[in-house]
Amino acid sequence: PGIIFLSEYGCGGYYVLVINGEQSGKVWFFHSDGYLNPCCIEGKQLNFYDWFENWLDTSLNQLNNDFAESKS
């Protein structure tokens, strides 16, 4: 196998980690209809660490926002 599924995006979309070849260590977005695109932020293709850090930051921000809204 050349990829590991990292997470489901929904509606047939998945984040995958490439584990072989030139793109090894990079994260791509795969859709069951055949769409495949590298994950990038500000033009930089994400490796696993960058992707995970972005996911974690986004998740924590959402939790903080949800918590703040529940207190108001």
Side-chain angles (χ1 to χ4, degrees):
I3 61 172
I4 296 173
F5 287 87
L6 296 174
S7 86
E8 181 178 356
Y9 181 79
C11 298
Y14 301 89
Y15 290 104
V16 298
L17 175 64
V18 178
I19 58 171
N20 290 327
E22 292 179 22
Q23 289 290 307
S24 182
K26 302 294 185 176
V27 178
W28 286 65
F29 182 78
F30 168 78
H31 195 276
S32 59
D33 67 3
Y35 177 79
L36 184 64
N37 200 44
C39 292
C40 298
I41 294 179
E42 297 178 4
K44 179 186 176 210
Q45 189 175 2
L46 302 180
N47 60 30
F48 177 75
Y49 175 82
D50 295 332
W51 175 84
F52 185 76
E53 182 179 41
N54 181 67
W55 172 85
L56 187 58
D57 289 345
T58 301
S59 297
L60 290 173
N61 285 336
Q62 183 62 50
L63 285 172
N64 285 334
N65 291 340
D66 291 348
F67 180 74
E69 288 176 10
S70 72
K71 293 293 185 182
S72 51

